[in-house]
Amino acid sequence: MIDFASTPIILTMLLGAVGVILPIISIIRKERGSSLYAGIAFGALIAAISFVAYQILSKHIMPAAIFSKNVLVDDTFGAFFAIAMLIVSIMTTVGSFNYMRGKSNPAVYYSLILLASIGMVLIAYSTDLVMLFVAWELMSIPTYVLAGFMKKDPSSNEAAIKYFLFGALSSGIIIYGISIAYGLTGSTNIGDVISGFSKLGPDMMPLALLAVGMFIAGFGFKIGLVPFHMWLPDTYEGSPTTIAALLAAGTKKAGFAAALRVIIMGTIALNIDWAFALGIIAIITMTVGNLAAIMQKNLTRMLAYSSIGHAGYILIGLSIAPFSQIGIQASLFHILNHAVMKAAAFIAAAGIITTLAVSHIDKIRCLGKRMPITSLGLTISLLALAGVPPLNGFWSKLMLFGSAINAGSVMPWAPYLAVAGVLNSALSLAYYGWIIRKMYFEEGESDKRVKEPKSIIAVMIFSIIFIVGIGVYPDPIIEFAKSAVPNLSALSTIH
Amino acid sequence: MSNGLIDFVLVSVALLAIGIYGLAVKRNAIRMLFAIEMIVNSANLNLVAFARFIPNSQGQTLALFSIAIAAAEVAVGLALIIVAYRMYKNIDIADFRSLKG
Amino acid sequence: MSTAGGIIRALNSGVKHLAVKRFTLRYPEQKLKFVGDGFQFDPQTGVGIAGLKGRHILFHDKCTGCQLCSVACEGIAEAIGMVKVKETWKHNKKAIMPQIDYGKCVFCGLCVDACPFYALYMTNDYELSSFTKSALIYTPSQLAVKPNISQDVEIKIGKRGATHG
Amino acid sequence: MVDSIFLAVSVLTIGSAIAALEIRSLIYGSIALMLTLSGIAGFFLLLDSPFVAMFQLSVYVGAIAVLILFTVMLVRRELIFNKIEDPRRRYAGIGLMIIVMLGIGTIIIGSGLKTMETSVTTVDYRKIGEDFLTYYSPALIVMALILTSSVIGALALARREDVTNEQRTD
Amino acid sequence: MSTIAPEFRLSRFIASLTDIIFWILLIFSIIGLPLVFILLFYIKLPVVNGQLLTPYLAMTWMADPSRTIPIIKSLIHTEFFRIIAFPGFGFAALLAAATIFVERKFLAKIQLRVGPLYCGKIEGILQLMADGLKLMSKEIIIPAKADKPIFWVAPLLFVGTAAALTSLIPVAPGWVAANPNVGLLTVFATIGFFPIITVLSSWSANSKWTFIGGIRALHQMISFEIPLILSLLGIVILTGTLNLTEIVESQQHYWWIVFMPIGAIVFFITIIAELERIPFDLPEAESEIVAGWLTEFSGMMYGLIQLGTYLKLYAFAGLFTVLFLGGWNGPMVWPPFPQEIITNGITIGPITAHIPGLPLFDQEMLNGTLWFVIKTVGVILVILLPRGVFPRIRIDMLLHTGWYTLIGLAFVNIFIALGLLYAGVLGHGGLMQ
Amino acid sequence: MATQLPPGIELEKVDDRIMTLNVGPQHPGSGHMRLIIKVDGDYIVSCDPDPGYVHRGEEKMAEYRNYIQNIPHLERPVIHDSCNILYPYCLAVEDLLGIEVPERAKYIRVIGSELNRCTYILYWLAIYGIFLGHSTMFMWPVGDRELFIDLLEAMSGARVTHAYFVPGGVRNDLPANFEERCLRQVDYFEKRLKEYEDIFYQNPVLKQRTEGTGILSRMDAIRLGTTGSVLRASGVDFDVRKKEPYDVYDNLDFETQVLREGDSYARSRVPYLEMFESCRIIKDALKKMPKSGSVRTKLKPNPKGGNDEVYRRVESGRGSLGYHIISNNRPEPYRVKISVGSFRNLICIPYLLKGEKLGNMPAVYWSLNYWPVEADR
């Protein structure tokens, strides 16, 4: 039996209760305005994140564990992701204050954000395939609805249908993989599955590989790895822009959490040379994402391709994981950084779209004068995404590429990952800089200042402080990421 | 019982393949939903077959979860399809052309 | 709670009626009793005598062939035609008498009102169905027959409801 | 006896699965999908898991099939005939299907699954309930949240806001 | 003379009869008799007890109870008999037929009418047969643009599903056509088929009235399935089993209606709604939508639907009896079979017939069946009563009832059951072991 | 190629949500008319009544028949309220021809009219019951109607088409011991009527179903020109028997039943309450009636009207019913115009049904006390 006082259960109870109560309030009070629901959701998320922070600071939780006898484990790995996901959810919620004004069903919107964030948090905490799958679905199903939430907008609906079809396919593939893993080992607990995998005879090995391949494919859909990425730009462009922030910064990172829990451990147990394949995928993913991003004229679409590219960067850390502890640490750090950066960028885009109703890059000329704070936030986050030195993106990229070069002693091809990453970063600076140039250095039709939404300003200020602050003083986060890395060398001694 | 485990697993693989075929070929949103249902069902069949032959109850439990989740997924998917139909008067996703890419 | 009370009251009312006598008239076995021998008319006072407006009866010894009934019917149903009869009467020189088509007759009884000689009355006979339309045309000789009918059931009102019996 | 039943059920399942995708009328396609799902339930019965079989029937046939039929009937009658798809994509799809079938099939046939022993003991459905309430209890809570989110999400999506029910004039 | 009713002449009738008899005799003697002889020549007649089994001997055996009763007894205990005749279809159809007659007379009594009167001399007891004959002889009309395969199959599927539902009802100890371990879940799964059949048949007829009726039926069945399932969860919690026979056995001392009257009321209202009976007969509301989803059915297809409806009525009433009223449990009122007949045989005048294999049914089974039938008929009568008392309700009232009132009450019932369990009133050490 | 439409004609915009239902003429819930109903889901978007299926030209036919021969014809439109539809005709013709009606005949006419009002309302109530799916409420009124039909048959000799009222009185005197029989049956009927309360009018299911549906406000009822029970259910105290008393109604003791809600329930309850008043009138009239005397003024054969026109109206089962007769020195009337309550209540149907649920259609439609045959004449 699980301890009902553990962090994930308390988070589930808190956010779930608020998420269920919100629509009921809307039925009873018949209130059309959205601020009440946004306030409640914001309060719940703040309570949740402060609870997690309290647990971490008071050192009540155990260090990163690989598996437990329960479906959930209360460890630092989960807490790290919980912090990241909850930050993204809070940014989305605050960013939606303005976006949702006057739209229908605000209570359902915020309730679904809360439920989806429970799913994202629980994925990181789960140590059982059933729990992982169920949490995966709790993350997916609300986001299907959220992506299609603008019912009058054809593009939102199209985005949602594509997202739904690929998401449902990915969950189908995942459950097929789970079924094979269960069939081979007779258990659904990840620890039992791994130890069962390591005891398999050679005749069962192809099946185990099939299962791991299905996991990679299934999670890869959500992460946006290259052969499975075709739905992603459409969905990010079409869905409400705040929701695109949630998808890009939240669900994608939850996919990485699931991948870290399942794929890496599973493949280590199988003791196969899978790292090269992941490295290839990483290079292709980042190259495709960045090359496609250059050609985009639409701000959100460009950010979507950029997030594909960043999936490639994060994958570098995963591909060198078994030989370098620092690789996973760097991946975790970049996951947190990228979550904040991308969420900030998308919410800035949402602010631009709601106030000026433009998303084409040519239309945002002279934005620096019209919306100074939003464009400052967008600039900072874009520079951080590109990895410009004093910002947080620089440190995490540095750690990623550095670990790749470090791993060159074991894997001779690993430094090429770093080379590809640096080249791609340079490439990305081109289109990020293009946007910055449009905003600040080109003459537009008007340079009259427009009133910026307060909620967007709040998010921007928070993200500027976060990005610059971590860029200046990254040590505590790096320490935290270090403590969240599971001890993989202990794992490889199973067999 | 005279059927081996492998028979059931082979049927499940056939269903999986048919589902993938449907997803690859069909562009009608409801048909694609059918194909996804087939994939999920093939996984369920696998789970129950393994649970019968291992034997323990976890496979059946997971199958129950999977069935219920599929119901939730279908509800959301059909709602999206109905909204799409109201907008486009069509449910062929090849005809959804508001996003270029 | 008033809803539940109302539902119980309604159910109680339904169940209570299981004990009430059935009102249905079992028609072919039972036949309703009527007032008098049928509708008649007194041309002297100009007032009719109450009774059922059923099939007519024609008194051949009183009919003069004056066609007043036929004229009265002309604007209403055109059911009455005057036909030759073989028998000869002193007061009926033309030897014509009414023949009534019950496929057309509406049983208003205005022909009875029109007859000044007490020759045409109505009777309690109302079972006139036939397989053919031609069988519904009653010749003067058929109209002269006094119907033989037994009608004996009345509405009886008792403690447990009204019945026919 | 069991073999013939197995054969019949698998022919029904796979045949109706193909029919569900290929038959022209979408209504008949849904009926064929229903048959596929019922065939899966039949497999579950063959596997001595009546609880899952009945659950499959009540959820898939009692709820999902009704939803699908309802949706198919809501979209207009002329549209239930789908367009003939591009033959090239069709051949590619058939090729993909054959690759998947042969690839996974050879892996499975080559693996040790065929030596897996048949055990006479079956799992009682009470064990499933025990599992639900002990080991998987957090998953059950999350499951409840999933169903809630799908219900409120589907309602928010499918409800029409342009038609109000208060059309009265006075 | 008129052509509609030709005159009857006895002489012509007798002439035609003799004509037919002559031809039958001629054909039989020319073709039939040689065939019989050829067959008898080639077939090897079996030898039983040292005697050649000639047709004559076989016929004498058929009249000998000491030989036929064991055969009948072995037949009774086959699966075939159970499914077709006793606890299965035949029994259910018989009770359903009786229900139709009772309903008509009962309703007529409330409405101060007479009801069926002429057919079958005694209060119109054969009216149902006459109606069935009429339906069978009527033409089946299929709308021109109907979807014919579905339109044809839907009534058959409806009857089949209803019959499947009846086969799950345990009638007496050990007497049930199908006894799955997860019986209650099977009941839910079977009920789930009705909405699909309804909506498919309504769609296939290609008529607006049937479609509106079918959609209404769909709404009604789907929204009442949830309280139906929830109202029975209390029993499942308290008994810890899904098997219907075990649920009946758990009620030897107390019926569940004593502890869970709210659940019983909710279940009762939901079965009225699932059966589409007044006041929940919106799918067939004749003043609004002609006859709802039955509009286009005619002839024997309509008859099949009616048969299915009444089988469903029996099945739900039986379910209510099994779940809440203790099923076959009741004091022993059936007289025991006299022992002398088994040992000494029956003495009729000078002849004493020794009949092995008696009695055909044991006393418990007959007593159980008696109590089951009495309770079920009582439930059916209570189901029929609202038809005479209430008007039809509206769709929004129906959905409000289903989603708010009944689901809320069902949850109250579940909490009552849990409370009884944790308070120790029931379960281990409580009133029932 | 789309065909060119003539100018001014537009095709209706196709919306697949809107479904057009033809309720009638071959529909169990329509009567002899058609309601073209457009529904959006279960809500009625528009309702277009299409009467005229049973138009017989009674008004034109009346111009070719003399004043007596018109009697069996003019009662045809409402055969189950045939005394009341003849009543204003007789009053008008009496005015035209200058005929005095004997006192006893006036009382007999009032009794006949009230008995017939009860049969009409019972018939209407029976159909209202079966429209709402309450089959007992169909059987009981139809059975109890038999009491009045028997009384009317004893009076006039016919069960439905009485042809009993004539200009100058009634056609025949009451039969012997009619008073006693009538009192007995009316008393029993009043007892039966009280039974209707429990099973129908106080039934919570019926109340929920009809209360608040199809509300016709007081001003709307007056503005739309409704009459009869529809008007009285909306809170307007108007009854021809009280406001313009004819024959002996001013001598009799009765009240007008008025309800204020104006919904279907009130509209269905006003006729029910009026049946009690009818019973009261019958009993009072039987008491006050002269025990003997002439019942019919003898007319000349083929009477001719002067150059005159007359309008008289009475309160029928469906509201005020008036005859406007013009004569020009001939045995036949020059023009007969019948103003009926049904046709005046018909205008409410599109007004009340718009936005209503389809399930309320029968409840609202039949509560309007509309008889298609009378409206078509």
Side-chain angles (χ1 to χ4, degrees), chain D residues 1-2 7 14 32 35 38 46 62 64 77 92 106 131 135:
Chain D
M1 185 62 186
V2 176
L7 207 64
I14 292 174
L35 279 182
S38 314
L46 284 181
I64 293 182
R77 198 184 166 90
T106 43
D131 266 3
Y135 181 70

Side-chain angles (χ1 to χ4, degrees), chain E residues 107 110-113 208-209 211-212 216 278-279 281 286-291 387-397, chain F residues 20-22 27-29 42 130-136 139-140 192 199 203 205-206 208-209 213 357-362:
Chain E
L107 200 62
I110 288 181
Q111 297 171 347
L112 312 182
R113 293 185 289 126
K208 287 170 185 167
W209 308 115
F211 192 62
I212 294 177
R216 280 186 180 192
I278 286 175
D281 72 331
E286 73 282 338
S287 56
E288 300 154 28
I289 47 171
V290 189
R387 185 168 171 191
V389 179
F390 293 118
R392 180 184 307 119
I393 69 173
R394 219 169 41 219
I395 186 94
D396 57 331
M397 289 160 66
Chain F
T20 307
L21 300 176
N22 283 315
H27 184 285
D42 208 46
I130 201 70
F131 265 24
L132 295 175
H134 198 306
S135 51
T136 302
M139 297 298 172
W140 282 7
R192 287 284 307 149
I199 210 162
N203 197 327
V205 181
L206 177 106
Q208 270 186 45
R209 169 134 190 222
T213 62
K357 296 180 187 71
L358 182 61
N360 280 341
M361 182 268 290

Side-chain angles (χ1 to χ4, degrees), chain E residues 164-377:
Chain E
L165 202 54
T166 60
S167 73
L168 293 167
I169 311 292
V171 171
W175 282 90
V176 52
N179 189 17
N181 213 8
V182 287
L184 211 50
L185 202 59
T186 316
V187 169
F188 298 150
T190 320
I191 292 170
F193 277 90
F194 286 113
I196 291 182
I197 296 167
T198 308
V199 80
L200 273 179
S201 80
S202 70
W203 174 83
S204 70
N206 200 6
S207 154
K208 287 170 185 167
W209 308 115
T210 60
F211 192 62
I212 294 177
I215 294 291
R216 280 186 180 192
L218 188 69
H219 275 100
Q220 181 168 334
M221 289 176 179
I222 296 281
S223 53
F224 277 80
E225 235 168 73
I226 297 158
L228 176 79
I229 293 171
L230 287 178
S231 66
L232 300 183
L233 277 188
I235 291 173
V236 177
I237 288 169
L238 286 180
T239 55
T241 179
L242 291 172
N243 189 318
L244 291 175
T245 309
E246 288 174 22
I247 287 175
V248 175
E249 280 162 0
S250 71
Q251 306 178 54
Q252 275 174 359
H253 306 294
Y254 297 97
W255 296 350
W256 289 127
I257 196 169
V258 179
F259 296 108
M260 288 177 282
I262 295 176
I265 289 169
V266 172
F267 184 62
F268 184 77
I269 294 172
T270 48
I271 60 180
I272 295 181
E274 287 274 329
L275 290 166
E276 296 170 12
R277 297 196 76 81
I278 286 175
F280 299 100
D281 72 331
L282 300 128
E284 293 152 34
E286 73 282 338
S287 56
E288 300 154 28
I289 47 171
V290 189
W293 64 282
L294 305 176
T295 305
E296 300 292 345
F297 286 123
S298 54
M300 203 50 213
M301 291 172 84
Y302 183 76
L304 280 177
I305 293 274
Q306 288 298 322
L307 174 66
T309 313
Y310 280 94
L311 281 180
K312 213 171 141 187
L313 171 63
Y314 157 74
F316 275 114
L319 209 59
F320 190 86
T321 311
V322 162
L323 292 169
F324 286 102
L325 296 181
W328 63 72
N329 289 315
M332 189 68 85
V333 294
W334 192 272
F337 197 74
Q339 194 65 31
E340 305 89 63
I341 293 180
I342 303 167
T343 51
N344 303 341
I346 303 170
T347 311
I348 307 161
I351 311 159
T352 302
H354 288 281
I355 304 163
L358 275 180
L360 275 177
F361 301 99
D362 53 353
Q363 195 192 354
E364 280 81 22
M365 179 261 172
L366 290 170
N367 193 53
T369 311
L370 180 71
W371 278 112
F372 179 83
V373 169
I374 287 173
K375 288 171 187 172
T376 308
V377 169

Side-chain angles (χ1 to χ4, degrees), chain C residues 76-95:
Chain C
I76 298 166
E78 304 188 6
I80 301 181
M82 303 305 287
V83 291
K84 279 264 183 218
V85 286
K86 292 218 179 83
E87 52 201 295
T88 51
W89 294 92
K90 191 172 66 186
H91 53 264
N92 195 348
K93 292 277 166 24
K94 289 183 272 184

Side-chain angles (χ1 to χ4, degrees), chain F residues 279-299:
Chain F
C279 294
R280 224 169 117 190
I281 294 172
I282 292 166
K283 285 193 274 189
D284 200 26
L286 282 175
K287 205 159 61 187
K288 292 183 180 159
M289 183 170 67
K291 295 300 167 217
S292 62
S294 167
V295 294
R296 183 175 184 178
T297 311
K298 199 167 182 187
L299 300 182

